[in-house]
Amino acid sequence: MSQSTLRVDARADRVVATLDRPAARNAIGQELVDELHALCAQLEAVPRVLILTGSDGVFASGADIAQLRERTAGDAREGINMRVFTRIAELPMPVIAAVDGWALGGGAELAFAADLRLGTPRTRIGNPETGLGILPAAGATFRLPAIVGQARAAELLLTGRILDAAEAVDWGILSSLHEPEALMDAAHALADRIAANDPLATQYTKRALAAPRDAHPQIEYELQAELFERPEKRERMTAFLERRKK
């Protein structure tokens, strides 16, 4: 699958999507949004792990400012970036963001929409939108507090401060750091571990993680009840017990 701003490598158990606008430092414009929607449609139809990354040592420098400058109140109410990032966050299988270099504004919000985020020592992440006369309106105001807590999210979003890689790990935005040349290997290693598990159990775990607080514990009861009735549960548990006997 070859597209002009998104390179997609589709495999049986995962898809690697690389933001590919190097001249614009992978800024997120309407064309890329459209291509991400098309990719989501494929992953909704055939659930697989998604690995998101950027080209040329940059994850995504933010929204396309030239396009953003011309958008109107009506465009703001359309939630152009918010809608696609929410669709990514709600994909059935886990999303891994492999974040090298800059992840600013909309780029940070795209990373926040992932379930797992890995970085490199040169990762820089933050939301400088208020310095441009706008607010971070593509998920940072609710996804970032869920990741780092309300106080730290407020500090980051209200000051527009950019975190370096070590701070991003300390704050819990990134789970680990890898040298740039090893970043994709680390992302694939995570995907390998996910792929080794039962796909529906993985999907249901993601669904439970995303559920609102008042949905618990009933959502676990219902999802677990369905999993308990599947032959895959007995097969996997029997195999585990047989291995333990050896």
Side-chain angles (χ1 to χ4, degrees), residues 1 33 37 93 107 113 129 171 176 185 218 235:
M1 179 177 174
V33 167
H37 274 298
M93 290 290 282
E129 282 91 340
W171 283 35
S176 58
D185 286 344
Q218 194 61 39
E235 291 166 4

Side-chain angles (χ1 to χ4, degrees), residues 8-230:
V8 177
D9 175 13
R11 309 182 188 182
D13 61 357
R14 73 197 64 178
V15 170
V16 181
T18 304
L19 280 62
D20 193 21
R21 296 187 67 200
R25 304 181 74 182
N26 300 330
I28 300 168
Q30 186 62 57
E31 186 176 5
L32 180 55
V33 167
D34 293 342
E35 292 171 357
L36 287 170
H37 274 298
L39 176 59
C40 285
Q42 294 180 27
L43 293 172
E44 290 158 357
V46 182
R48 284 162 287 174
V49 172
L50 172 62
I51 300 174
L52 284 169
T53 193
S55 61
D56 285 14
V58 177
F59 183 69
S61 60
D64 188 311
I65 300 300
Q67 291 183 20
L68 197 59
R69 184 183 59 182
E70 305 307 316
R71 287 182 181 168
T72 65
D75 294 319
R77 293 187 177 98
E78 286 293 316
I80 294 169
N81 286 3
M82 174 76 85
R83 290 179 188 275
V84 74
F85 294 170
T86 296
R87 198 171 179 185
I88 289 168
E90 293 177 353
L91 286 171
M93 290 290 282
V95 178
I96 301 167
V99 184
D100 187 20
W102 297 101
L104 302 180
E109 290 176 300
L110 176 58
F112 300 155
D115 300 288
L116 302 162
R117 287 166 297 278
L118 309 178
T120 74
R122 62 190 185 189
T123 299
R124 300 293 181 269
I125 190 165
N127 290 88
E129 282 91 340
T130 53
L132 296 172
I134 59 174
L135 61 85
T141 57
F142 60 92
R143 290 197 180 99
L144 186 59
I147 296 167
V148 304
Q150 188 71 29
R152 280 183 158 174
E155 178 185 338
L156 200 62
L157 300 183
L158 294 176
T159 65
R161 187 159 73 87
I162 308 303
L163 298 183
D164 64 26
E167 290 173 309
V169 172
D170 181 60
W171 283 35
I173 295 174
L174 301 176
S175 61
S176 58
L177 297 181
H178 308 269
E179 290 303 316
E181 62 274 13
L183 179 62
M184 291 306 295
D185 286 344
H188 280 292
L190 274 180
D192 289 341
R193 295 199 63 166
I194 293 167
N197 297 326
D198 181 73
L200 191 62
T202 299
Q203 291 177 44
Y204 281 9
T205 300
K206 176 170 176 172
R207 190 181 302 179
L209 279 166
R213 183 179 294 272
D214 60 6
H216 302 279
Q218 194 61 39
I219 187 170
E220 284 85 1
Y221 298 158
E222 296 303 323
L223 295 174
Q224 191 77 298
E226 185 175 338
L227 292 172
F228 271 20
E229 293 300 310
R230 298 170 67 240

